[in-house]
C-alpha cells in the first residue's frame, strides 16, 4: 500500500479533489498520473485521544488492505475520521467501518462491485 506523506500532496487533494461523506468518514479523492493508488489516513485531535486516533487509522488501513483489489487504480485517496467515530470508538467494530466505507466509495464511483 502506497501512502501520501507530504503536506503538499494532502493539500493538493483537499483543494482540487472531490469529496464524499459517510456516517463515520469523509473521503477526498483525486485522479493521479501514476499506475497505482496512494492513500492517506487522517484522524484529527477532535476525534479523541491518541489511542482513539490510532485505532481509527488502524481500522481504515485494515479496510484498504482487505479491499485493495476492488478499488479502481490511479487515485489518491484521503480517508478522514469524523468526530462521531471518535465518540463511539469503543462500540464500533470493523464491520461498521467496512459498511460505511463501502457505501461512501460506491457513491464516489471508486469501488468496483467484483468480489
Amino acid at each position: 500500500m502506497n501512502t501520501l506523506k507530504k503536506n503538499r500532496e494532502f493539500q493538493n487533494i483537499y483543494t482540487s479533489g472531490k469529496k464524499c461523506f459517510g456516517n463515520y468518514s469523509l473521503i477526498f479523492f483525486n485522479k493521479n498520473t501514476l499506475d497505482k493508488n496512494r492513500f492517506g489516513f487522517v484522524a484529527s485531535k477532535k476525534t479523541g485521544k491518541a489511542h482513539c486516533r490510532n485505532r481509527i487509522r488502524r481500522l481504515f488501513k485494515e479496510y484498504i488492505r482487505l479491499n485493495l483489489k476492488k478499488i479502481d487504480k490511479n487515485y489518491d485517496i484521503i480517508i478522514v475520521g469524523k468526530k462521531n467515530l471518535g465518540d463511539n470508538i469503543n462500540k464500533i467494530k470493523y464491520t461498521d467501518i467496512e459498511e460505511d466505507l463501502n457505501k461512501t466509495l460506491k457513491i464516489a464511483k471508486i469501488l468496483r462491485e467484483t468480489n
Side-chain angles (χ1 to χ4, degrees):
M1 172 182 8
N2 298 308
T3 58
L4 299 164
K5 301 231 188 296
K6 300 194 183 302
N7 183 35
R8 107 180 110 76
E9 295 171 337
F10 278 85
Q11 294 304 320
N12 183 33
I13 297 166
Y14 287 142
T15 57
S16 64
K18 298 175 185 168
K19 61 183 167 182
C20 282
F21 298 91
N23 292 333
Y24 300 120
S25 61
L26 171 63
I27 297 179
F28 292 89
F29 59 98
N30 199 9
K31 278 280 205 189
N32 65 27
T33 57
L34 309 171
D35 192 30
K36 58 188 173 187
N37 288 331
R38 296 187 301 174
F39 298 95
F41 306 98
V42 178
S44 73
K45 287 190 176 183
K46 292 179 183 177
T47 57
K49 297 199 181 279
H51 64 92
C52 293
R53 297 192 305 268
N54 291 336
R55 178 161 160 71
I56 290 167
R57 285 191 293 266
R58 280 196 307 270
L59 288 169
F60 288 158
K61 287 178 185 179
E62 182 66 7
Y63 173 82
I64 295 299
R65 185 183 72 81
L66 294 174
N67 295 289
L68 190 58
K69 301 263 189 250
K70 296 183 197 176
I71 298 173
D72 289 340
K73 297 278 187 261
N74 301 347
Y75 278 100
D76 291 336
I77 301 169
I78 300 173
I79 304 174
V80 181
K82 286 184 165 180
K83 185 176 182 335
N84 67 342
L85 177 58
D87 294 342
N88 300 319
I89 195 66
N90 294 327
K91 295 177 238 165
I92 290 181
K93 305 289 184 225
Y94 170 76
T95 55
D96 300 326
I97 299 296
E98 185 176 34
E99 288 174 16
D100 184 54
L101 289 175
N102 279 338
K103 183 186 78 157
T104 310
L105 289 172
K106 282 178 188 173
I107 291 170
K109 298 184 174 114
I110 295 175
L111 190 68
R112 291 189 299 263
E113 296 294 326
T114 59
N115 289 327

